[in-house]
Amino acid sequence: MTQERPRAAGNVDSVFVALADPTRRHLLELLAARGEATATTLAEGLPVSRQAVVKHLSVLDAAGLVTGGRVGREVRYAVRPAALSTTARWMAALAADWDRRLADIKHRAEAAERAAGERAAGEGSGGGAGPSPDARDVP
């Protein structure tokens, strides 16, 4: 039986898939710097064809990272930050959960260390029957 995933998780997955490719990350950086651009303009600075740029932009668009709008005969692309914000919030929540778990582990380890130290101090406070084996070995 497969477990259904929340819609937000699916969006995060599509963002990660889109950002896994270095060319798409570069396109996103270019669009963020320029505000908006056509596929032809974006292809000029890349070692790939205009058609390849259009395909990459299509993946970014499907992930909600960019949007394309027709202006006359051109399609101008621009960054849509909402999907990145959703992904950043998801990652921050995940990091906070791990921070909480690690703090709990640290607290438990420190408590165990203190308890062991207290037990060791209690055993060495004259409650034993005679000198320790190390003390007998000293000439």
Side-chain angles (χ1 to χ4, degrees):
M1 176 166 153
T2 58
Q3 183 179 13
E4 287 195 35
R5 297 164 56 132
R7 181 181 172 128
N11 290 347
V12 168
D13 288 349
S14 64
V15 168
F16 282 133
V17 168
L19 295 177
D21 184 273
T23 301
R24 288 193 286 268
R25 288 194 306 272
H26 189 65
L27 285 170
L28 200 57
E29 289 171 1
L30 289 172
L31 284 171
R34 295 179 184 182
E36 69 176 20
T38 65
T40 303
T41 305
L42 292 167
E44 289 172 358
L46 296 171
V48 294
S49 68
R50 180 193 168 285
Q51 291 80 8
V53 168
V54 169
K55 286 183 181 181
H56 283 299
L57 289 168
S58 162
V59 173
L60 291 169
D61 187 21
L65 294 169
V66 301
T67 185
R70 191 165 281 286
V71 178
R73 294 189 309 164
E74 295 180 328
V75 177
R76 294 183 181 261
Y77 294 90
V79 173
R80 286 189 348 205
L84 278 176
S85 296
T86 300
T87 303
R89 282 193 305 275
W90 178 83
M91 290 174 65
L94 185 64
D97 188 44
W98 276 105
D99 287 346
R100 181 190 55 75
R101 290 176 184 191
L102 291 172
D104 185 47
I105 290 170
K106 179 182 177 190
H107 174 72
R108 289 174 188 236
E110 288 171 346
E113 189 175 288
R114 278 192 304 273
E118 290 169 2
R119 280 194 306 273
E123 291 172 359
S125 63
S132 69
D134 292 336
R136 285 183 298 212
D137 294 338
V138 177

